[in-house]
Amino acid sequence: MTNLDFDAFFLAVHGYDPFPWQSRLARTLCETDTWPDLIDLPTASGKTACIDIAIFHLAVNAAKETPWLAARRIAFVVDRRIIVDSAFERAETIRNALLDSSEPAVRAVADALTQLGGDAPLLCHKLRGGVPRERGFAFDPTQAMVITSTIDQIGSRLLFRGYGLTRYAQPMHAGLLGHDTLVLLDEAHLGQAFSANLSAIRQEQARAETALPQVQPVRLVSLSATASVQGASFRLDADDLANTHIAARRSAPKPVRLVESPAKLAERVKLLAQEALHLYEELNTQVPIVAVIVNRVSLARAIFEQLKTAKRTNFDVELMVGRSRPLDRDAVSSRVLSRAGSGRKPDAQNRGLIVVATQTIEVGADLDFHGLVTECASLDALRQRFGRLDRLGQFRRSLAVIAGGHEPTDDPIYGAAAKSTWEWLNTLEAVDFSIASLDTILADLDAQPLTIAPPSYLQLTPAHVESLCQTDPPPTSQPEVSSLLHACDSGPADVQIVWRNGLPALVDDRSIKLVNILLDYCPPSSLETLSISITSAKSWLGNGKAAVDEFEIEGRTRGGEASSEVSHSPLVWRRSLESWEAVPPLAIRPGDTLVVPSIFGGCDEFGFSASSTEPVRDLYRESRTLLQKERIEFITQDQLKTHFTPALVTAAWKKIDVPHAETSGAPSELFQTLSQELGSELLRVLGWSEQPIIEVLLDEDRLHALTLRDGKPGIEDISDEDLSSSRTVPVPLDEHNAGVARTAARFAKSLGLGEAMCQLLHRAGNTHDLGKADPRFQRMLRAGDDSTLANRLLAKGRRQGHSARVELGERHEAYSVALLKLYPELLSDLHDPELALYLVGTHHGRGRSLMPDRADDGTIIDVEYGEVTLHLDDVPHLGVLGSGWPTLFWRLTRRYGPWGLAYLEAVLRLADHIQSREEIRPGVRS
């Protein structure tokens, strides 16, 4: 292992030695560079340490200059909506150690990973869900990274249909995840459809005529004690079973009392709440920690409310459901982990705790309870739940209750398995869910009827791949992604909902324009979105009720349709391809991102609540800060009235609210007037510690708000929209092209793509924005100020209101391609000129497989390239079917494979994004 030592690295990072199996797997992997197909380990065996092992394996190969034998992106994937993600916490612990530790074993790993490229030895990303114009994990293709996510988020991206992403971003995510990525699928028995179709992705990519050198396709390793996986398996051996800690976890007794559950919901709520209270009192410990885990969100909420009203004062109650906004979810998780996390130090000063939860904590939650009350479920689900009971085997006095007796044979989640499991449990003389006890009981038992039946899923075929890889525009007929990831009856994709203050109460032409300006400045982020089924979204918005009971299993949305009886029909704001539009609830589509006024209610600190009518807290500012986006806020009358006397605000606003004209005064002068009226400490009162950039935001011809910007956009502010470089610094075109060329070549070299591909990507980068020499585009970039770098063409500029009055024709990528076609000698010395031409045309995600067809009367372009003046007096016409562009797309797709072509696109596009970041904020790390 060269000078790298896994055991020393592990000890230095975590403060304790690895288990024998962890050392053995790391040693075998570094010797063979081959992962087993299945890591067959029981719960609480430390499976998340596979992240440590994968990182160490990458470091070893980076030190040997063979990084392609490992994976730069390590994705830890679960089939639950993540509530407490121990895998992410573990990755963060490793990342922090790599940045800060002085231990030689850790520094050796950090130094090796740094050789790969990227901004740091390791980045960590929790992929919670995408929204338009948000980058997610896509930063630097050379960067070592750990991604924790769900099957829906990783799987939809792999299939070119990333949930919540624009169609322009989808191929970039597919290409990156399709290569140099290791998927660690936790509890793989829950994700059989995903596993099978990930293998199909590898097979389809293997059909490519040209393999990318030193780039491996995505790999899958299943982690489960109950999965049936073909191939090599890795299991505990005698040394592991003799280990003190593993032995304690396996043998910890978990006696269970079976209780008959009433059929009526109200009576069941009362029973489960009473059982939790009884168990809490019975536990022999000073500060009891009890979990109540049920199968439906509505039941969890009802029990939570019942326990909150219990006449006890010695415990707190928390609710954990997956249908919540990430920032709210993290707040709840933080509170629960501090008191119920594995390995916590007991604190007699704490009150007791009862945590009411759904299936969301079955997987990926490093929680350790003294007592457990659970609804009956399938045997495999119950084993996961009992994995949170005395998880480390240190308490050894745990108590548990399973309530059952009215399970249907066609449960939307468990089918007949829950009913069969209850009947089987009642045949046992004594029920003990300790790992060792269950291993003995199940040794000679056919447990198939007690576990969730494998789903009937859609098998990925070449025809499906041909449809899915077309992202712009997508075909009218295409396979349902949820059927490829879960089951044929899994239902449509969820919708993402964001609550915002300050949206207009009425929808008319005026408010539509205003909302588009507001949400263009401050687009939604994944940290403030809540994912719910489309049926529940329609019913809540239509009549204030949830249409169906929400499940916590990814991809499961069966149970009914949204009611067509609409008692009120508020319009909501939906992101379309180019703008925001107001639509009624029944017009919502799967995968939509919706923005609703906070006054609608529907969400509390714990998650979606259709009956809640309280205004929802706006998380915009907090999410933008955490995502390291440019700070942008508005000063409106309403916002000022929360800080100052309303009458004073009204009088002050009248002094600056004049019809917009050239003589209205500069934005800074309007702000100065406002400060004089309200006080010189206005900025401090609004929470600004430094002087912002002031801009005017108009509602028609009247002042709607003064905009405050800190002028520090981050990489999250860079997108593939035409206006993505709005509000930025002027950048000369030749300098930008040269910078992208250098970065693309650096990426290609680090990725091992070979000298020929390095040269090709360098040339594509150096020519990708030549089309911006279009005089119309230059006028837009200069925003009417011809003095800005007057003698040089611009790649970026200070576009404001003047830009909206510039009529553009075909996109600048189309003009770049037209110039390269007119001067083929610019690419003729490359090993694949067609690929270079294609990469230039798709560097903003368009043209897969058709280019946008826009009306254009043409223009005259003159641009210097090296010592040559390129001249064009024509229209590209790339959007017409006879342009040859679709033929080029399909030819290159066959040549490099669907994921291979997308990967090469991602390399150039990310070079463009990284260069743009450096131009905006030199030296800033992503």
Side-chain angles (χ1 to χ4, degrees), residues 487-521:
C488 290
D489 60 351
S490 58
D494 289 347
V495 297
Q496 313 287 324
I497 299 182
V498 175
W499 284 262
R500 284 286 178 85
N501 293 329
L503 295 182
L506 298 177
V507 176
D508 53 23
D509 290 343
R510 189 170 185 170
S511 63
I512 289 173
K513 292 179 182 178
L514 180 60
V515 167
N516 270 278
I517 294 172
L518 291 171
L519 295 181
D520 180 62
Y521 267 81

Side-chain angles (χ1 to χ4, degrees), residues 670-709:
L670 298 180
F671 182 79
Q672 185 177 6
T673 301
L674 197 63
S675 297
Q676 290 170 351
E677 296 296 316
L678 298 177
S680 59
E681 295 294 302
L682 177 59
L683 278 177
R684 184 186 60 78
V685 172
L686 296 175
W688 287 74
S689 59
E690 58 185 37
Q691 182 68 33
I693 299 169
I694 311 294
E695 295 176 351
V696 170
L697 179 59
L698 298 175
D699 179 3
E700 293 292 338
D701 63 340
R702 307 295 303 194
L703 176 66
H704 175 77
L706 290 178
T707 305
L708 308 183
R709 296 176 37 239

